[in-house]
């Protein structure tokens, strides 16, 4: 069983941050803080110049990170240091061109060497999996699949090929906080459950502990990005404490679903 | 790999979020159905002929040919189409397809504003809602086109992210489509993006080479020796090339925007300065840095100011079937001025890139026939060319 699967021993809280926002030193501190606050898995964004699946909050974070001189190589140097002390799994979230231009084989090899357990590429759907899947397999990195509210009859096909965990996109549109999530997640998880026991977590639009708990309760976990990244944007280098407080609240809410 | 759906060799594909997959599959199925439907094709031909002003003329540029003293130069007058550019061909096709699919709202990106104006025009004609995304920088460079789009009833959304140019407008249009799919068709303006867009747009623009072929045979009794067109995403070029691809004796030449030069950072010449990558739904060539970050490209022409190129062009380049040359701002501006004085035709600054290549190549091509695709008219560019020459215009 992969380390990611093990992270779902109960309901999981998965925070997302963009590497290098506001700088890599802060990111490194943040990762430790997120683990301390009770995160079960951490999603690390490698910034991309043109993130077409992101809303304004994460777009700005990518811009800040790139302006600060963040590069794929420097991120690998950071994850290499972190992997020696962080026990929970780390997954990368980035865009196809970041991996492809680095050379997919070399990128996934570096992932494996520096303790990265999974890869999420929002611009690579099921039809284009073969571009990266062979390299993920070669180096034992889980290739995380996404399922959207528009997936309909595609859900079982995608779920059957899933590994690590399944990322359920809660809403139409891009990443970002929403006051309410309209999609009924339950019918989606029912289809997923009928074909696989790979755990699934809901992301996109989760802005507070209440929503995180509600989304985790109909799946196996909640992914929170923009609400955390907004705090990082607001506090800059001083963000680790406020982020810790917020993530602890999220993690406690999600974990309250599990028998203690 | 070449058998994969929507691929031109290894180029193309469907690199888009899962949220949009059913939308592009639905579009592909609808297109496969209607492309063979005689009624659809009759309706489209009627729109081309009665509304857009097709077929467009093939004009023998006699003064220019004599002045250059080499090849005979013919201009395919796409600038005379309704809305002043080749863009209307694709837009009428896609709007009709969207209507058949039951969509009531069109969204589009635009660079120079030509595709935005064409989409707003089709939306008005079909009684559809229309939203156009345009880089903030471009809304300044092409203020007149912004006004036209609004006049035609469209909402124009300035895109402030990134470099505020065409690539950012494309990204924002994709984001908008992800948020609202059921009633909305994304009317993509070039032979780019995920499958089936590169094929759909090519097929609707292929009317250009179909006509050139017939017109050249009628005027000269033979096929042209070279067809020259400017390339940003590459829709007018693929339209001008398509029916000549099997005729190996016809040289196909695409002219990219070199901006201030391909050895500078201020260029948009994708084939000359880029390398293979995956972006905006497709595998193709892109201007990018060593870590795959998309480069902030530059050209005097807002319509060619794009860091990628359509996947079929990437394939034509890789297989050697088409040649791609880079043309600088200065060369394009000189061609813009040259054609205005020599033939009394003010070309779009985009099309002037193709003219500049023809002006250079023609003297050494005596006895040969060149067709330049004059993809658009230049009214929209007078202010920026005047500024390039140090003159500020105001009305």
């Amino acid at each position: 069983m992969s380390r990611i699967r093990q992270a779902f021993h109960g309901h999981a809280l998965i925070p997302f941050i963009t590497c290098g926002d506001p700088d890599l030193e802060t990111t490194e501190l943040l990762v430790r803080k997120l683990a301390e606050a009770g995160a079960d898995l951490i999603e690390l964004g490698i910034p991309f110049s043109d993130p077409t699946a992101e809303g304004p909050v994460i777009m700005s974070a990518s811009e800040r990170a790139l302006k600060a001189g963040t590069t794929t190589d420097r991120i690998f140097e950071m994850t290499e240091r972190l992997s020696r002390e962080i026990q929970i799994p780390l997954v990368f979230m980035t865009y196809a061109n970041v991996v492809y231009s680095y050379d997919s084989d070399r990128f996934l090899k570096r992932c494996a060497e520096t303790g990265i357990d999974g890869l999420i590429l929002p611009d690579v759907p099921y039809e284009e999996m073969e571009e990266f899947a062979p390299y993920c397999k070669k180096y034992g990195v889980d290739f995380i699949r996404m399922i959207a509210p528009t997936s309909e009859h595609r859900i079982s096909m995608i779920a059957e090929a899933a590994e690590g965990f399944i990322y359920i996109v809660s809403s139409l549109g891009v990443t970002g906080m929403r006051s309410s999530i309209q999609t009924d997640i339950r019918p989606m998880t029912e289809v997923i459950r009928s074909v696989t026991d790979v755990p699934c977590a809901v992301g996109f639009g989760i802005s507070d502990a209440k929503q995180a708990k509600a989304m985790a309760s109909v799946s196996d976990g909640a992914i929170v990005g923009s609400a955390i990244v907004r705090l990082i944007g607001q506090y800059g280098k001083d963000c680790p404490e406020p982020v810790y407080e917020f993530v602890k609240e999220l993690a406690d809410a999600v974990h309250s679903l599990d028998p203690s | 790999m070449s058998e994969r759906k929507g691929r031109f060799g290894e180029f193309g594909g469907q690199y888009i979020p899962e949220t949009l997959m059913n939308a592009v599959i639905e579009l592909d199925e609808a297109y496969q159905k209607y492309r063979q439907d005689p009624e659809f094709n009759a309706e489209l031909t009627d729109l081309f002929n009665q509304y857009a002003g097709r077929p467009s003329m093939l004009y023998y540029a006699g003064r220019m040919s004599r002045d250059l003293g080499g090849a005979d130069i013919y201009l395919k007058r796409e600038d005379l189409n309704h809305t002043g550019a080749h863009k209307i061909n694709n837009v009428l096709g896609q709007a009709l397809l969207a209507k058949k699919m039951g969509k009531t709202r069109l969204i589009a990106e635009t660079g120079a504003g030509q595709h935005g104006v064409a989409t707003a025009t089709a939306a008005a004609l079909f009684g559809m809602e229309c939203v156009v995304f345009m880089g903030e920088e471009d809304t300044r460079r092409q203020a007149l086109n912004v006004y036209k789009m609004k006049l035609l009833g469209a909402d124009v959304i300035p895109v402030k992210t990134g470099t505020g140019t065409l690539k950012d407008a494309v990204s924002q249009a994709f984001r908008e489509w992800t948020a609202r799919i059921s009633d909305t068709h994304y009317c993509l303006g070039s032979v780019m993006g995920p499958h089936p867009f590169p094929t759909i747009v090519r097929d609707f623009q292929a009317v250009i080479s179909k006509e050139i072929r017939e017109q050249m045979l009628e005027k000269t009794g033979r096929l042209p020796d070279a067809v020259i067109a400017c390339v940003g995403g590459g829709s007018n070029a693929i339209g001008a090339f398509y029916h000549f691809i099997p005729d190996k004796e016809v040289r196909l030449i695409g002219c990219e925007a070199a901006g201030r030069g391909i050895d500078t950072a201020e260029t948009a010449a994708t084939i000359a300065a880029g390398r293979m990558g995956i972006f905006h739904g497709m595998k193709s060539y892109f201007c990018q840095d060593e870590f795959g970050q998309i480069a902030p490209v530059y050209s005097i022409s807002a319509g060619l100011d794009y860091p990628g190129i359509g996947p079929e062009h990437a394939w034509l380049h890789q297989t050697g079937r088409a040649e791609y040359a880079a043309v600088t701002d200065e060369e394009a501006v000189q061609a813009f001025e040259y054609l205005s004085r020599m033939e009394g035709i003010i070309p779009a600054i985009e099309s002037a890139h193709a003219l500049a290549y023809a002006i250079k190549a023609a003297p050494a091509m005596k006895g040969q026939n060149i067709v330049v695709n004059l993809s658009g008219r230049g009214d929209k560019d007078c202010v920026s060319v005047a500024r390039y020459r140090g003159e500020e215009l105001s009305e």
Side-chain angles (χ1 to χ4, degrees):
Chain A
M1 191 187 279
S2 77
R3 275 163 46 86
I4 292 178
R5 291 285 293 273
Q6 288 167 28
F8 285 85
H9 48 81
H11 287 86
L13 175 77
I14 305 173
F16 166 92
I17 57 173
T18 300
C19 294
D21 170 31
D23 53 46
L24 281 170
E25 293 67 36
T26 309
T27 302
E28 199 166 336
L29 273 173
L30 271 172
V31 171
R32 295 194 184 94
K33 281 285 182 192
L34 294 172
E36 207 181 302
D40 298 283
L41 188 159
I42 297 170
E43 210 187 297
L44 294 171
I46 302 180
F48 180 51
S49 52
D50 301 81
T52 48
E54 314 297 349
V57 172
I58 295 178
M59 261 197 272
S60 306
S62 303
E63 260 175 49
R64 289 194 294 269
L66 290 172
K67 249 182 216 146
T70 309
T71 65
T72 311
D73 276 338
R74 291 191 57 214
I75 292 170
F76 278 130
E77 287 163 21
M78 178 192 73
T79 54
E80 193 158 28
R81 285 192 297 273
L82 281 169
S83 65
R84 294 191 202 110
E85 52 175 297
I86 298 291
Q87 300 304 314
I88 57 172
L90 304 175
V91 305
F92 274 149
M93 200 296 299
T94 190
Y95 286 78
N97 203 47
V98 170
V99 180
Y100 181 83
S101 73
Y102 197 85
D103 181 275
S104 304
D105 188 288
R106 183 169 154 245
F107 183 94
L108 271 306
K109 183 167 183 276
R110 289 291 287 149
C111 284
E113 286 168 357
T114 67
I116 297 297
D117 298 281
L119 178 64
I120 304 171
L121 298 174
D123 58 345
V124 180
Y126 179 86
E127 279 73 1
E128 303 295 351
M129 276 170 61
E130 280 308 299
E131 182 77 51
F132 302 103
Y135 306 107
C136 291
K137 192 164 185 234
K138 181 174 172 187
Y139 296 107
V141 175
D142 286 339
F143 194 9
I144 310 302
R145 314 306 316 160
M146 298 177 103
I147 286 174
T150 51
S151 294
E152 297 169 359
H153 63 276
R154 296 166 54 82
I155 295 177
S156 50
M157 170 182 88
I158 298 167
E160 272 169 27
E163 51 194 31
F165 76 95
I166 292 167
Y167 191 131
I168 299 179
V169 176
S170 76
S171 315
L172 292 181
V174 293
T175 56
M177 294 160 284
R178 289 164 172 81
S179 51
S180 71
I181 292 168
Q182 304 293 340
T183 312
D184 190 1
I185 304 294
R186 239 182 255 274
M188 295 166 78
T189 51
E190 274 165 20
V191 180
I192 294 168
R193 284 285 160 271
S194 69
V195 295
T196 181
D197 59 356
V198 171
C200 47
V202 182
F204 275 46
I206 299 178
S207 34
D208 57 28
K210 199 173 153 223
Q211 267 182 335
K213 187 179 172 185
M215 286 299 117
S217 74
V218 292
S219 63
D220 303 300
I223 305 162
V224 183
S226 297
I228 295 169
V229 172
R230 189 178 57 98
L231 287 176
I232 298 171
Q234 188 181 337
Y235 290 96
K237 283 176 188 295
D238 299 324
C239 68
E241 273 315 311
V243 167
Y244 171 85
E245 294 299 329
F246 180 56
V247 172
K248 186 161 189 331
E249 200 187 316
L250 296 170
D252 289 348
V254 168
H255 295 151
S256 72
L257 293 163
D258 303 318
S260 48
Chain B
M1 192 172 258
S2 55
E3 287 85 42
R4 280 163 69 190
K5 200 173 167 191
R7 292 274 171 172
F8 305 91
E10 63 188 304
F11 303 102
Q14 293 180 306
Y15 298 89
I16 49 169
E18 170 59 23
T19 307
L20 288 175
M21 276 311 295
N22 269 328
V24 298
I25 291 168
E26 185 198 357
L27 177 63
D28 192 23
E29 286 169 357
Y31 180 60
Q32 294 308 329
K33 178 181 158 195
Y34 287 110
R35 70 186 299 187
Q36 300 173 34
D37 177 11
E39 200 181 311
F40 178 87
N41 285 303
E43 256 182 273
L44 184 59
T45 303
D46 198 52
L47 283 166
F48 277 179
N49 297 348
Q50 303 302 318
Y51 187 71
R54 303 210 70 85
S56 69
M57 284 197 287
L58 186 74
Y59 166 73
Y60 172 61
R63 277 199 83 211
M64 182 181 175
S65 301
R66 283 190 294 279
D67 180 63
L68 296 170
D72 279 319
I73 297 167
Y74 294 81
L75 305 177
K76 179 61 172 165
R77 299 292 307 274
E78 291 297 303
D79 61 317
L80 295 179
N81 294 341
H82 181 42
T83 71
H86 70 291
K87 293 290 186 188
I88 194 76
N89 305 329
N90 165 47
V91 160
L92 288 173
Q94 284 199 52
L96 187 61
L97 184 61
K99 190 180 146 197
K100 300 278 181 200
M101 292 172 73
K103 307 284 182 184
T104 56
R105 180 171 175 261
L106 296 177
I107 59 170
E109 84 295 341
T110 197
Q114 293 304 103
H115 176 58
V117 167
T119 307
T121 299
L125 179 67
F126 287 95
M128 294 166 106
E129 239 186 283
C130 182
V131 180
V132 179
F133 295 89
M134 188 171 188
E136 196 179 37
E137 169 69 20
D138 291 337
T139 60
R140 276 194 291 271
R141 287 197 278 194
Q142 303 289 348
L144 180 60
N145 274 341
V146 174
Y147 179 76
K148 283 185 194 168
M149 287 183 268
K150 290 180 177 167
L151 187 65
L152 290 159
D155 281 337
V156 180
I157 314 270
V159 178
K160 299 185 174 86
T161 50
T163 49
T165 60
L166 181 54
K167 82 171 164 86
D168 308 290
V170 173
S171 295
Q172 205 53 40
F174 271 115
R175 289 186 187 107
E176 171 63 22
W177 201 26
T178 314
R180 188 166 162 185
I181 300 168
S182 60
D183 67 346
T184 299
H185 174 70
Y186 179 12
C187 186
L188 231 166
S190 193
V191 284
M192 46 154 297
H195 174 72
F197 285 108
T199 301
I200 291 181
V201 179
R202 177 202 65 200
D203 289 354
F204 290 141
Q205 291 294 0
V207 65
I208 300 172
S209 50
K210 184 171 167 280
E211 289 175 6
I212 294 174
R213 210 186 156 86
E214 291 164 4
Q215 290 164 327
M216 281 304 280
L217 286 173
E218 195 186 299
K219 279 186 198 292
T220 69
R222 61 190 175 95
L223 297 180
D225 297 286
V227 178
I228 305 175
C230 64
V231 181
S235 73
N236 92 78
I238 215 80
F241 294 173
Y242 186 66
H243 287 284
F244 295 109
I245 292 173
D247 305 302
K248 299 283 191 279
E249 70 275 22
V250 180
R251 283 176 66 193
L252 306 175
I253 304 162
C255 301
E256 301 189 298
R260 298 204 166 93
I262 53 169
D263 46 356
T264 73
E266 291 172 301
T267 182
T270 309
I271 297 261
R275 60 191 169 87
M276 266 177 74
I278 297 170
F279 182 50
H280 278 164
M282 57 184 174
K283 183 183 275 187
S284 188
Y285 294 101
F286 297 96
C287 295
Q288 54 184 309
D289 76 5
E290 63 166 314
F291 292 105
Q293 307 295 342
I294 302 303
V297 291
Y298 163 82
S299 161
I300 189 173
S301 147
L304 303 180
D305 197 355
Y306 182 70
I309 188 166
E312 192 163 6
H313 284 293
W315 181 68
L316 291 173
H317 165 70
Q318 196 188 50
T319 58
R321 178 59 192 98
E323 307 157 47
Y324 293 85
V327 173
T328 63
D329 283 359
E330 177 61 29
E331 292 168 318
V333 167
Q334 282 179 17
F336 179 90
E337 294 164 340
Y338 177 87
L339 194 73
S340 302
R341 281 197 299 266
M342 193 58 68
E343 293 286 351
I345 298 170
I346 303 173
I349 192 68
E350 288 78 17
S351 322
H353 285 72
L355 285 164
Y357 185 92
I359 291 166
K360 256 197 293 192
M365 292 173 72
K366 194 140 189 84
Q368 300 190 42
N369 295 326
I370 293 176
V371 176
V372 177
N373 194 28
L374 204 65
S375 55
R377 55 190 286 164
D379 313 46
K380 68 184 177 60
D381 299 308
C382 290
V383 171
S384 61
V385 171
R387 185 175 304 135
Y388 182 87
R389 290 300 192 209
E391 193 181 333
E392 286 298 328
L393 301 185
S394 61
E395 295 193 40

